[in-house]
Amino acid sequence: CCPPVCDCVWTDWIDTSYPDSSDRNSGDYETFENIVKKNSSWVCAKAEDISCRAEKFPDIPIADLGQIVECSVNTGLICNNKDQHTGGTIQMPVCLNYEISVCCIPNIPECITSTTTSTTTAPPSSTS
């Protein structure tokens, strides 16, 4: 009958990592890899969108916090303590504790397969 609904679904806020403020080589790593390590049942077949926020400042866009943070649909969130400097909006020389929410495509084969498999035949283009 009908094709499955393949709209992405937002997860709850996820916070699996807490930055160690005493270790310059530490940071906050809300990566998909770490989430699966902490919760083996977590599945996000394909992340279509991601939202990242500081746990203590949920209403401030992370770009406005003055921290160097990577928030990407490919990996999740990465914040390294050594990249942070005092003098930003938040006077912290280490990473804040961040959390992420991911918009995941449902884990059904029809949704995961690449949409580029459909072929359309176009009339030959004339360049005259």
Side-chain angles (χ1 to χ4, degrees):
C1 145
C2 324
V5 177
C6 292
D7 297 339
C8 69
V9 179
W10 286 97
T11 65
D12 290 333
W13 288 100
I14 301 166
D15 185 4
T16 59
S17 160
Y18 193 84
D20 179 352
S21 58
S22 65
D23 183 357
R24 291 298 289 161
N25 294 316
S26 176
D28 196 19
Y29 306 102
E30 305 300 338
T31 61
F32 302 144
E33 191 182 330
N34 283 348
I35 294 165
V36 172
K37 276 183 194 162
K38 287 265 175 24
N39 177 1
S40 58
S41 64
W42 190 77
V43 174
C44 183
K46 180 166 182 254
E48 193 166 271
D49 202 357
I50 188 169
S51 183
C52 300
R53 70 182 186 186
E55 178 218 6
K56 287 191 167 57
F57 307 96
D59 301 326
I60 302 175
I62 61 169
D64 296 346
L65 292 172
Q67 293 214 312
I68 298 166
V69 178
E70 179 188 341
C71 176
S72 118
V73 290
N74 299 318
T75 51
L77 177 132
I78 296 174
C79 180
N80 295 307
N81 284 343
K82 64 180 185 298
D83 296 338
Q84 311 314 319
H85 305 285
T86 50
T89 311
I90 308 297
Q91 296 288 327
M92 292 272 291
V94 294
C95 295
L96 292 164
N97 184 37
Y98 289 93
E99 50 190 11
I100 68 171
S101 176
V102 188
C103 201
C104 295
I105 302 290
N107 194 15
I108 21 185
E110 295 83 355
C111 297
I112 307 306
T113 53
S114 161
T115 49
T116 53
T117 50
S118 60
T119 54
T120 53
T121 50
S125 60
S126 60
T127 54
S128 51

